Amino acid sequence: MRETRPIIALDFPSFDQVKSFLARFPSDEKLYVKIGMELYYAVGPEIVRYVKSLGHSVFLDLKLHDIPNTVRSAMAALAKLGVDMTNVHAAGGVEMMKAARDGLGAETKLIAVTQLTSTSEEQMKEFQNIQTSLVESVVHYAQKTAEAGLDGVVCSAQEVELIKKATPADFVCLTPGIRPSGAEVGDQKRVMTPSAARAIGSDYIVVGRPITQAHDPVQAYRDIKDEWNR
Ligand code: C5P
């Protein structure tokens, strides 16, 4: 099921910056935000409680990867924070992903990272000793993620069509690397516009700097949201 709100990556180093950024939006506008490792480890669980207290939805992007028992307990702790979506590394295995689901409960969305987009095919072959193409590895991990009962994967927009073909109909793809046409690409290598991401079947888009660094973040958010829903 496609989420109509673009997920805003709250890549800020401090609590104060998050507060002033969110304060720009009308209080009745409920956002969907991504809290990543930097902010979570710097501020702690308080940041999630704060954002939830404002009525926003939270994707907690911590990419857990450990033995199944540890991941189950960690997920139970995250469930108590009331997050709406979180994630694991598919490389942890089917048992680990099932344990994550078990600890988190059925209501919270749980997705997996396949191959990080910072990993090249050469690195994967040489370092991980996986002798297939990168995209075959991504699709394999996505199928294992579905088998473990998770909701979907984080992937590059370029991978969505292949993943959708190889997984059940309700399996979701969350895609970062989204740039409205004409925007700064920054350090992202392969980008896609919100309308192109919609056309290829992304269910969630994650957008950071084009909103957080914009002169008028609220307007930038609205424009991206409009393009995503048009
Ligand atoms: O600022 P920007 O829109 O590039 O931010 C994208 C967000 O999505 C960042 O938080 C980044 O870490 C995250 N991300 C990504 N590519 C991935 C996985 C996560 O850009 N493959």
Side-chain angles (χ1 to χ4, degrees), residues 9 11 34 61 63 116-117 154 176-179 187-188 206-210:
D11 293 326
K34 177 172 94 71
D61 179 20
K63 303 183 179 74
L116 290 168
T117 47
V154 182
I178 301 296
R179 292 290 177 272
D187 55 359
Q188 293 283 11
V206 173
V207 188
R209 289 160 292 179

Side-chain angles (χ1 to χ4, degrees), residues 7-12 21 34 176-179 188 205-214 220 224:
I7 299 180
I8 306 173
L10 288 184
D11 293 326
F12 294 108
F21 173 78
K34 177 172 94 71
I178 301 296
R179 292 290 177 272
Q188 293 283 11
I205 53 170
V206 173
V207 188
R209 289 160 292 179
I211 296 170
T212 56
Q213 307 296 315
I224 291 168

